[in-house]
Amino acid sequence: MGQGQRRELAEKIAGEIALSDDPGGTLRKWRTDFEVAQTELADELGVSPSVVSDYESGRRESPGIGVVKRTVEALLSIDARRGGSHIRQHARVLSAGFDADIVHDLREYPTAVHVDDFYEAIGATEIVGGAQDSVAGHTVIDSIQAISRLSSEEFYRLYGQSTNRALVFTNVTSGEGAMVALRVLNPTPNAVVLQGLDDESVWEHAADLARIDGYSLAACPTDLDEMLARVRDLP
């Protein structure tokens, strides 16, 4: 990741914290998203863990922009020393022009992954087989945010570099909204996953729509955080 991208990401995170109605809560969200413990962040900042805890809980006056900037740089530095996986993840989403509350993760793979292997990795069960048997990337999106906020043109950008990918919809109750939204897209992705559902909870007409458009459809009851950790471990 280039310094320009890292700076852009830092400015985005810092701006979100500084402009939040609950800056402490937003700071906590980013710290936990980067999987950094309060003690580790405190060590990086050279303060006691109670200072970090007080900011996050609101017991201490909202942090000024200087504190926010140092905190964000500390999170990025910690992640960079660990290999930078979270930095790369957020940079991909940012470079695609999406907010993190719409796109949880977006990746291209160096080599194609068989659909069966992808499903096995995330704990998904295939409901309908598709015309293609591999994916070369994935996009994990919040279905409600995407359907309500994105135009059809913006929806296409969820494909990243290719439709040869899996679209994973989160925040679904039956998958009806996501499946109907896909009907207006042509071409469709190679695979669609409805996260948070088992196969018996999927909308009764979902399989029929998947067959019409020729993509593989799967249900994935795996918890969102666990599923995100698994897809990020794919090659």
Side-chain angles (χ1 to χ4, degrees):
M1 180 182 187
Q3 287 301 311
Q5 287 179 304
R6 173 166 170 162
R7 182 168 57 253
E8 185 179 1
L9 177 58
E11 290 173 353
K12 178 186 183 301
I13 298 173
E16 184 175 322
I17 295 172
L19 296 175
S20 173
D21 292 334
D22 179 13
T26 305
L27 190 157
R28 180 173 61 252
K29 181 202 80 170
W30 282 104
R31 177 183 60 76
T32 55
D33 187 75
F34 273 75
E35 299 181 279
V36 174
Q38 284 186 343
T39 52
E40 188 174 13
L41 178 59
D43 287 343
E44 187 76 14
L45 292 170
V47 299
S48 69
S50 64
V51 172
V52 176
S53 177
D54 286 348
Y55 275 130
E56 291 186 354
S57 66
R59 289 190 297 269
R60 185 181 289 255
E61 185 179 351
S62 296
I65 190 61
V67 173
V68 170
K69 181 179 179 180
R70 288 181 56 227
T71 302
V72 172
E73 285 299 330
L75 290 174
L76 297 180
S77 295
I78 291 170
D79 189 66
R81 289 199 297 271
R82 294 174 174 175
S85 62
H86 291 289
I87 293 175
R88 289 193 298 274
Q89 168 208 335
H90 287 291
R92 283 191 294 266
V93 174
L94 193 63
S95 64
F98 296 110
D99 293 332
D101 60 344
I102 296 178
V103 177
H104 296 291
D105 197 36
L106 188 156
R107 268 191 61 199
E108 316 295 334
Y109 306 149
T111 57
V113 174
H114 197 281
V115 169
D116 291 345
D117 294 333
F118 179 82
Y119 290 158
E120 181 179 0
I122 65 174
T125 299
E126 187 174 60
I127 298 172
V128 174
Q132 305 298 324
D133 63 3
S134 67
V135 292
H138 67 254
T139 308
V140 182
I141 59 177
D142 183 297
S143 62
I144 301 299
Q145 294 293 331
I147 293 169
S148 63
R149 293 171 55 184
L150 299 184
S151 66
S152 57
E153 180 180 342
E154 290 170 323
F155 219 98
Y156 279 117
R157 298 213 316 270
L158 295 171
Y159 287 157
Q161 295 178 4
S162 170
T163 58
N164 179 16
R165 68 194 309 101
L167 277 189
V168 182
F169 289 92
T170 73
N171 196 15
V172 295
T173 54
S174 68
E176 179 177 356
M179 300 300 294
V180 171
L182 286 171
R183 289 293 293 140
V184 303
L185 292 182
N186 187 22
T188 50
N190 286 9
V192 172
V193 179
L194 303 176
Q195 182 273 331
L197 300 179
D198 57 35
D199 55 341
E200 295 182 355
S201 302
V202 173
W203 182 44
E204 60 181 332
H205 300 297
D208 293 333
L209 295 186
R211 291 190 188 97
I212 290 171
D213 287 327
Y215 56 80
S216 172
L217 175 66
C220 177
T222 308
D223 173 79
L224 176 58
D225 290 338
E226 174 65 21
M227 190 213 64
L228 286 172
R230 293 183 185 185
V231 295
R232 290 166 186 162
D233 283 339
L234 286 167

